[in-house]
């Protein structure tokens, strides 16, 4: 579950999402939504979402490496 550490329930944030709460309630999912769909800047939205996915993969691989060293069991 470490690979999803940057993911948050975007539905919960979007329920109370308004321009007044952008500074405090903005997460990766809502930022991608706002840039990609609202502002019609698909390339920036896709780049931010790709960055989020790459960071999640790095977390997953490093946790697997650490688990293999500590417990001698891993995912692959």
């Amino acid at each position: 579950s470490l690979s999803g550490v940057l993911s948050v329930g975007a539905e919960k944030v979007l329920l109370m999402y308004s321009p007044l709460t952008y500074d405090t309630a903005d997460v990766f999912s809502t930022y991608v939504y706002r840039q990609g769909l609202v502002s019609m800047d698909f390339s920036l939205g896709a780049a931010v979402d790709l960055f989020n996915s790459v960071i999640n993969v790095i977390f997953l691989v490093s946790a697997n490496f650490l688990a293999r060293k500590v417990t001698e069991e891993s995912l692959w």
Side-chain angles (χ1 to χ4, degrees), residues 33-50:
Y33 165 76
R34 192 163 39 97
Q35 291 299 318
L37 295 178
V38 176
S39 299
M40 302 300 276
D41 191 1
F42 299 120
S43 60
L44 181 62
V48 170
D49 206 23
L50 179 66

Side-chain angles (χ1 to χ4, degrees), residues 11-18 21 25:
E11 299 83 16
K12 297 171 190 166
V13 176
L14 281 175
L15 287 174
M16 298 186 295
Y17 203 56
S18 72
T21 61

